[in-house]
Amino acid sequence: EFQTFQHYFIQINLSGSVMQCAVSASKTALRSLLTQARMYSVVERGTPNSLDYRIFYTREDKPISPFHDIPLYTDASKKYCNMVVEIPRWTNAKMEICKEEPLNPIKQDVKKGKLRFVNNVFPYHGYIWNYGALPQTWEDPTHVDAGTGAKGDNDPLDAVEIGTAVASRGEVKQVKILGVIAMIDEGETDWKVVCIDRNDPMADSLSDIGDIEAKMPGMLQATRDWFRIYKVPTGKPMNDFAYKGEWKNRDFANRVIQDTHGAWSDLMAGKTAGEDAASIATHNTAVPNSKGNISVDEASDVIKSQPEPKEMAPPVDGSTQNQVFVSRTVPEKVCC
C-alpha cells in the first residue's frame, strides 16, 4: 500500500465558509462533491528539496496520471473544471507536471543541474495566486493559433486560481472559469486561464472577466505584470502578449479549453506526429483505447521504483528568497 499524505484533498474541509456553502447544498449535490473530493490522494517519493522528489497521484488507491486520468470537467454539465495545483500562492519552487516521465508526477523544474526557483520580483513574493494546470489539455506545438500567430508550448493549459485560500501542493480543485490571456513566451503561445475555486466565498460574485476588476481591483493588472517580468532576472526578455494584451472573457476561455482538450485527445489517440508529441509520456490507467493505457499493476510498479522519502529534507538555499527589482520603463510589446 502506498504511503500518502495524512489527508485527502477534500475541499469541504478547507475553511468554515466552504463548509457553510456545502451544507446549504442539496444532499445529492453534497454527496457528489464529497465523492469527487475524496477521489484523489498523493504519494510522495524521493525527498523534498531534492532532484529525486516526485508527487504521484492515486484515485481510490489506484495509481493515475494527473495529466491524463483526472477528467478536465468535474461532471457532464461542463460547468466546472478540475485544476491540479502545482505551486501554492506565495511559494516560488517551480513545480510542474512532468510530461516526460511515466504517470506524469509533479516534480521541481531543474536548470543547469539545480532546482529552479522563480525570483521574488518586487513587489511580489513567489506566485501571487495558486498556479497549476487543467488536466486533459495540451497546447499542440504543431498547431499555429490563428489569433496569436504562434504555435503551442507543448504543455497542459496553465491556470491561475485567485481564491482566498492558499492551496496545498498537489491539491485538485474544482474551479469556475473566468477568462484568459494569451502570453507569448519565447515565440510560443502560452495561455493563462484565470479561475476561482467553486467553493470560495467570492465564487458566486465572479462569473466573467469583468467581475474580477470590479470585485478585485488590481488583480488582472498585477497578474499580467507578473507574467511579463518574472523571467527577466534570469536574463530572459520580457514576455509579450497577443490580442494587444487584453484579457479575454469566459466564453473565449472556454473555447481555448475545448481546443486544447481536443489536441490532448488527438495526442492520446496517436494522431499527432512530431518529436514533441513523441516525448510525452502518455501512460495512464483510465483512458480506454489510448496508446499509453497500462494496467494498475504496471502503474503501481512505476511508483514502487521510485526512492522512498528520507526523514530529513535538505534545507532550501536562503538566496532563493531574495528580492530582486525589474524596471518597468521598457515599453510593453504586444501584438494584435
Side-chain angles (χ1 to χ4, degrees):
E1 186 173 329
F2 298 122
Q3 176 185 355
T4 64
F5 283 126
Q6 62 183 356
H7 61 277
Y8 288 99
F9 293 126
I10 177 167
Q11 295 171 336
I12 192 173
N13 286 336
L14 291 177
S15 68
S17 58
V18 173
M19 177 65 78
Q20 292 170 7
C21 172
V23 168
S24 67
S26 69
K27 289 183 179 179
T28 301
L30 179 57
R31 188 180 299 113
S32 175
L33 176 61
L34 286 169
T35 298
Q36 292 185 61
R38 289 195 184 106
M39 279 185 178
Y40 308 110
S41 56
V42 298
V43 179
E44 288 184 292
R45 282 292 181 263
T47 304
N49 308 327
S50 73
L51 295 174
D52 65 7
Y53 183 61
R54 301 290 187 275
I55 297 175
F56 289 91
Y57 282 75
T58 64
R59 177 170 53 209
E60 299 175 352
D61 297 324
K62 298 177 182 179
I64 62 169
S65 160
F67 188 0
H68 307 307
D69 289 321
I70 296 177
L72 169 59
Y73 296 104
T74 61
D75 56 39
S77 72
K78 298 186 178 181
K79 186 175 182 181
Y80 302 105
C81 290
N82 283 311
M83 171 189 170
V84 177
V85 177
E86 299 163 315
I87 307 171
R89 191 169 72 227
W90 310 139
T91 66
N92 69 334
K94 186 66 174 74
M95 310 297 295
E96 58 189 13
I97 290 173
C98 182
K99 307 187 303 292
E100 297 79 17
E101 294 184 9
L103 296 184
N104 314 110
I106 291 178
K107 58 169 282 190
Q108 191 163 354
D109 191 24
V110 177
K111 293 294 183 183
K112 298 181 179 179
K114 293 184 179 181
L115 297 176
R116 181 182 169 196
F117 292 84
V118 170
N119 293 99
N120 297 307
V121 181
F122 181 82
Y124 312 116
H125 182 85
Y127 284 68
I128 61 175
W129 357 250
N130 298 310
Y131 186 81
L134 300 186
Q136 296 188 344
T137 63
W138 182 55
E139 296 195 54
D140 183 355
T142 68
H143 172 70
V144 176
D145 185 270
T148 68
K151 63 182 182 179
D153 72 348
N154 196 34
D155 282 330
L157 202 56
D158 295 324
V160 298
E161 192 277 317
I162 60 174
T164 55
V166 177
S168 299
R169 181 186 291 168
E171 181 176 345
V172 179
K173 283 183 170 290
Q174 299 177 5
V175 297
K176 185 178 187 180
I177 304 302
L178 301 173
V180 68
I181 194 169
M183 190 175 84
I184 307 299
D185 185 356
E186 299 184 35
E188 297 177 332
T189 302
D190 190 1
W191 297 102
K192 306 296 183 184
V193 174
V194 61
C195 58
I196 189 167
D197 188 324
R198 66 178 293 185
N199 298 309
D200 191 88
M202 291 195 66
D204 287 344
S205 62
L206 300 177
S207 296
D208 213 326
I209 197 70
D211 298 327
I212 301 177
E213 188 59 33
K215 303 292 184 179
M216 306 173 72
M219 172 61 76
L220 295 179
Q221 181 180 1
T223 296
R224 192 175 75 162
D225 182 57
W226 193 97
F227 281 123
R228 182 190 177 209
I229 65 172
Y230 81 103
K231 288 187 177 181
V232 172
T234 66
K236 298 287 184 67
M238 291 186 179
N239 285 319
D240 305 335
F241 298 91
Y243 298 104
K244 300 180 180 179
E246 295 175 357
W247 284 93
K248 294 297 185 178
N249 65 17
R250 178 189 60 195
D251 289 343
F252 191 104
N254 281 324
R255 288 196 294 272
V256 171
I257 292 170
Q258 279 289 305
D259 288 346
T260 54
H261 180 57
W264 170 83
S265 297
D266 287 344
L267 171 71
M268 298 301 286
K271 297 179 180 179
T272 309
E275 293 182 4
D276 289 320
S279 70
I280 294 177
T282 57
H283 304 73
N284 70 86
T285 58
V287 185
N289 303 317
S290 63
K291 66 174 184 177
N293 189 252
I294 60 175
S295 70
V296 170
D297 287 342
E298 289 173 312
S300 298
D301 288 341
V302 170
I303 299 179
K304 290 174 182 177
S305 70
Q306 301 293 313
E308 293 284 345
K310 296 179 180 178
E311 291 186 5
M312 293 292 293
V316 174
D317 188 333
S319 66
T320 63
Q321 301 306 305
N322 290 348
Q323 195 172 57
V324 298
F325 297 85
V326 171
S327 172
R328 306 317 201 265
T329 58
V330 177
E332 279 194 290
K333 290 176 62 182
V334 296
C335 62
C336 54

